[in-house]
Amino acid sequence: MHPVTGSRASAPAMGRPAPRRSADRGRTPPRMPAARPPIRSRADAETVALLHRTARVLIEEVPRLTDRIVTLMKEREPVYRSPSLDPHEVWREVHDSLSHNVRSLVRPKETRESARSCAWRIGTDRAAQGFPLDALLHAYRIGCTVVWERLLETASKEDPLGAQALVHVAADVWNFVDEHCTLVATAYQEVERQLSWHRENRYRIIVAALLDGTARVTDFPEAEEVLGLPERGRYAVVALEDTDAPARAPHPVTGVCAGLRTVWHTAEGIAHAIVLLGDGDGGDGYGSDGDSGDGVGVERLVRGLELPPGARAGVSPAVTGLAAVNTARRLADTALRTRPAAGEAALLEERYPEALVVSSPELGTALADRTLGPVLALEPADRELLLTTLAAWLEAAGSARRAGELLFCHRNTVLNRLRRYEQLTGRSLDRPREVMELSLALSAHRLLTS
């Protein structure tokens, strides 16, 4: 706010904005807020006239004042000594802004909006550059201090006694400085919010495209820049289901796996993490490679996972390259559908039979009906007894004695139940193929009917 007449003016500006980065292409510039009603100064007419006369002298001195301000900015703010700033552009912007500032002391009504627009533009441009806000505001105060000191010096030469009256408007001058600093800061923060939203939105879009397979080869350099994921890196995908908090995306690794680069995306209650296992070229396709020399294997990743209570996860095999992340996501989803226990993670490579069943539920259901039909038709207690015995026998690798230990019964009891299964179904547990079908049928019954 102009200290005497209520006009607004800008303070010294910084360098020209750098070329726009991809993050703010298409950004809509924020709108400058309307000016508040001017504050009426308490200064008398003589003081106003002296201020106007003094300011007219300063208009001729703008180039020299610009030199002084730029020198002080470089002395007091290291960022202005950066080689990335063009000193000629910095000087020109300070000169232009200073001209607005001094002229507003002489013609406040004519320059009010243009001065405000200059301050607003400076704030938006610096935010787009990533220029430090505190350094920008400090430069404003440096410039205004130089102008104020020069006003007092010039007025004292014209009227030593009358110049003392300018001291009475000092509070108004610094109110003006603070108001314009607020305008700059508001513009800066508005752009910063926009840029942050655009960055976060672009981040989500890129991660989603990698996971759903819509990312193009031409998108991979941007994915590497935005996400920090190298195009030829080795990756695994974690699919996390948390019924208590579907949108929660915890840090996926601890212990030996801590520090792995991980990006999360949540949609439809399932959170997916793309985990960078290593930067090396692990070959094409996917497969179990344990701990390679250029990163971490999926087995160590699974051991290092820390899941929220009640959550369950599926982990894909390792894949090579961003182009294979979609394949890894589908495999992780398949691993999750094999229904690991709450708090556990299922590694697909350890659950291929279950994965086959859930990948083709119609065939799985048909196999369960064909292999277990007569058993499933029994009364619930008999049905569960036989199903539990068959599962324990398979878990015990066909040993009736070990199955009995698991079931807390005698081996002969186990054998009697196995014979009953054979009698009901007409199948033989001495035939490897029929044992394989039984194993798949039990998995299908467990996964598809409960």
Side-chain angles (χ1 to χ4, degrees), residues 351-383:
R351 296 192 176 218
Y352 280 135
E354 294 88 345
L356 288 172
V357 167
V358 298
S359 295
S360 184
E362 297 85 358
L363 290 178
T365 300
L367 178 63
D369 290 342
R370 179 174 181 271
T371 306
L372 298 172
V375 176
L376 300 178
L378 295 174
E379 292 296 321
D382 286 343
R383 178 178 67 235

Side-chain angles (χ1 to χ4, degrees), residues 102-376:
V102 175
R103 284 182 169 80
S104 70
L105 300 176
V106 181
R107 296 188 299 275
K109 292 182 180 180
E110 293 85 346
T111 61
R112 180 181 191 185
E113 284 307 309
S114 63
R116 293 182 73 246
S117 296
C118 181
W120 184 262
R121 185 185 68 252
I122 291 167
T124 59
D125 288 346
R126 296 305 163 267
Q129 275 186 290
F131 198 92
L133 178 58
D134 56 348
L136 176 60
L137 296 178
H138 187 199
Y140 260 77
R141 289 181 170 83
I142 290 172
C144 289
T145 299
V146 169
V147 170
W148 175 248
E149 289 175 350
R150 185 58 183 149
L151 281 173
L152 291 178
E153 182 182 350
T154 303
S156 296
K157 291 179 180 178
E158 177 187 335
D159 183 358
L161 295 178
Q164 297 179 7
L166 291 182
V167 175
H168 300 297
V169 298
D172 294 328
V173 169
W174 289 103
N175 284 338
F176 147 69
V177 174
D178 288 340
E179 255 192 281
H180 277 267
C181 284
T182 299
L183 187 65
V184 170
T186 299
Y188 187 103
Q189 291 159 358
E190 285 296 319
V191 172
E192 200 171 47
R193 275 193 290 270
Q194 285 189 359
L195 292 177
S196 176
W197 183 89
H198 280 285
R199 283 192 297 268
E200 292 173 3
N201 190 53
R202 188 59 186 154
Y203 184 102
R204 287 191 296 268
I205 290 172
I206 294 173
V207 176
L210 291 173
L211 290 168
D212 65 24
T214 59
R216 300 166 298 181
V217 173
T218 53
D219 296 327
F220 294 160
E222 185 175 9
E224 184 164 356
E225 177 187 355
V226 174
L227 308 179
L229 301 178
E231 181 176 350
R232 294 296 298 170
R234 292 175 53 256
Y235 297 100
V237 171
V238 177
L240 175 72
E241 181 182 57
D242 186 355
T243 55
D244 294 331
R248 177 165 48 186
H251 192 289
V253 289
T254 58
V256 297
C257 295
L260 294 181
R261 175 62 180 155
T262 305
V263 296
W264 283 96
H265 179 75
T266 302
E268 299 178 356
I270 301 294
H272 291 94
I274 305 172
V275 183
L276 176 61
L277 301 176
D279 294 331
D281 189 347
D284 296 327
Y286 59 87
S288 176
D289 58 355
D291 294 346
S292 64
D294 55 2
V296 173
V298 288
E299 292 85 357
R300 292 186 67 195
L301 172 63
V302 171
R303 290 196 301 270
L305 284 170
E306 183 179 82
L307 302 182
R312 64 187 82 230
V315 182
S316 75
V319 299
T320 299
L322 293 176
V325 165
N326 169 248
T327 298
R329 191 271 303 167
R330 290 187 283 106
L331 295 175
D333 287 344
T334 300
L336 181 60
R337 292 203 305 274
T338 65
R339 297 180 57 197
E344 293 184 359
L347 178 58
L348 182 68
E349 293 170 324
E350 297 174 350
R351 296 192 176 218
Y352 280 135
E354 294 88 345
L356 288 172
V357 167
V358 298
S359 295
S360 184
E362 297 85 358
L363 290 178
T365 300
L367 178 63
D369 290 342
R370 179 174 181 271
T371 306
L372 298 172
V375 176
L376 300 178

Side-chain angles (χ1 to χ4, degrees), residues 312 337-341 351 353-355 357-358 364 368 372 376 387 391 439-450:
R312 64 187 82 230
R337 292 203 305 274
T338 65
R339 297 180 57 197
R351 296 192 176 218
E354 294 88 345
V357 167
V358 298
L372 298 172
L376 300 178
L387 292 175
S439 176
L440 290 174
L442 288 171
S443 293
H445 176 69
R446 177 176 63 85
L447 294 171
L448 302 176
T449 62
S450 58

Side-chain angles (χ1 to χ4, degrees), residues 40-62:
R40 187 174 184 81
S41 175
R42 297 180 181 179
D44 56 32
E46 290 184 9
T47 302
V48 171
L50 176 61
L51 182 63
H52 287 180
R53 292 195 303 273
T54 305
R56 289 190 184 94
V57 174
L58 263 63
I59 290 175
E60 303 300 324
E61 300 180 0
V62 165

Side-chain angles (χ1 to χ4, degrees), residues 11-17 69-70 73-74 77 79-80 85-98 118-119 121-123 125-126 129 131-143 184 188:
M14 307 308 115
R16 294 281 182 189
I69 291 168
V70 170
M73 286 162 50
K74 291 180 178 179
E77 278 294 341
V79 69
Y80 290 104
L85 287 179
D86 183 341
H88 301 291
E89 292 298 322
V90 172
W91 190 94
R92 186 167 65 180
E93 285 243 347
V94 173
H95 178 273
D96 292 346
S97 181
L98 186 58
C118 181
R121 185 185 68 252
I122 291 167
D125 288 346
R126 296 305 163 267
Q129 275 186 290
F131 198 92
L133 178 58
D134 56 348
L136 176 60
L137 296 178
H138 187 199
Y140 260 77
R141 289 181 170 83
I142 290 172
V184 170
Y188 187 103

